[in-house]
Amino acid sequence: MRLVLLGPPGAGKGTQAERLVREHGIVQLSTGDMLRAAVAAGTEVGRRAKTVMDRGDLVPDDVMIDIIAERIDRPDAARGFILDGFPRTVPQAEALDRLLATRGIALDRVIEITVDEGMLKDRIENRARQTGGARADDTVATLHNRIAVYRKQTAPVADYYRGRGTLSAVDGMGSIETVSAAIAKVLKRA
Ligand code: AMP
């Protein structure tokens, strides 16, 4: 099974991806986690990404596409994967289609987790408290930019998949359990 999870920061993509990993035995490919690891390791990509991430802006498409192309070719992704945080722009979505097509595979489903914007701020502030500010981009100032970036650059990705008939929207405002059940229902139908 190959899935994409779409949704603004704080929508619960990471939490839902972890559950899907446990239930379906597929890997979670979080581009945010990959970038944070590159920052921690002090690689060239990490050094370039850090300032962009701290602002809440997006790392350039070509960098992200190279990262994901390399990652989906690793053996642990052969059984399937959940993309969490990628694609974030329409050019990334188009590049992903090409990447998968050349490998003779396709996405089974794109799940958009929808949330009320007012709730997002509360959730992300809670996350900042719980993680003790472990994520440099979980600050209120950066959050506003990340939501604006989502609206402008990532919301069109949902339209892109909707136009191809692969998108299912799930209401992300309920409890973790309720959202998981809604995702399970979508996957059963798919
Ligand atoms: P996330 O953990 O998914 O919220 O990602 C944290 C940050 O990493 C984002 O705010 C971006 O700066 C960067 N990032 C993660 N994934 C992507 C992507 N697909 N394209 C561009 N930037 C990304």
Side-chain angles (χ1 to χ4, degrees):
M1 187 162 56
R2 296 176 192 91
L3 303 174
V4 167
L5 282 186
L6 278 181
K13 294 189 298 294
T15 306
Q16 294 300 332
E18 279 166 26
R19 290 177 76 109
L20 290 165
V21 164
R22 284 200 301 275
E23 284 158 21
H24 298 278
I26 51 181
V27 286
Q28 172 188 5
L29 306 184
S30 158
T31 43
D33 284 351
M34 293 174 205
L35 290 170
R36 281 183 286 277
V39 171
T43 66
E44 175 64 27
V45 166
R47 273 196 298 276
R48 281 170 49 202
K50 188 174 183 335
T51 39
V52 177
M53 292 171 76
D54 286 350
R55 283 199 308 266
D57 287 332
L58 295 184
V59 173
D61 287 337
D62 56 339
V63 175
M64 299 314 302
I65 293 161
D66 284 351
I67 290 177
I68 218 73
E70 186 271 326
R71 187 62 188 86
I72 60 174
D73 283 339
R74 289 203 217 150
D76 64 348
R79 286 189 55 201
F81 50 75
I82 304 163
L83 293 175
D84 161 14
F86 184 95
R88 256 178 159 96
T89 65
V90 171
Q92 289 182 16
E94 290 168 344
L96 178 64
D97 277 350
R98 287 193 297 272
L99 275 176
L100 297 178
T102 58
R103 288 156 177 81
I105 52 180
L107 294 173
D108 295 294
R109 208 74 213 148
V110 177
I111 298 170
E112 179 191 23
I113 305 181
T114 59
V115 282
D116 173 85
E117 279 201 14
M119 267 276 295
L120 285 180
K121 196 165 162 268
D122 292 348
R123 279 198 185 178
I124 215 151
E125 281 174 1
N126 279 338
R127 183 160 79 186
R129 270 196 295 275
Q130 279 163 14
T131 58
R135 277 185 63 163
D137 58 353
D138 267 355
T139 63
V140 177
T142 306
L143 169 69
H144 285 296
N145 189 39
R146 293 175 71 211
I147 292 174
V149 165
Y150 184 85
R151 218 186 284 129
K152 188 156 173 246
Q153 293 180 266
T154 309
V157 174
D159 296 332
Y160 174 89
Y161 287 120
R162 193 174 290 114
R164 277 160 181 71
T166 41
L167 186 86
S168 297
V170 160
D171 180 4
M173 297 296 291
S175 66
I176 292 174
E177 306 304 325
T178 313
V179 179
S180 295
I183 292 176
K185 208 164 148 193
V186 161
L187 295 180
K188 216 167 163 189
R189 273 205 309 266

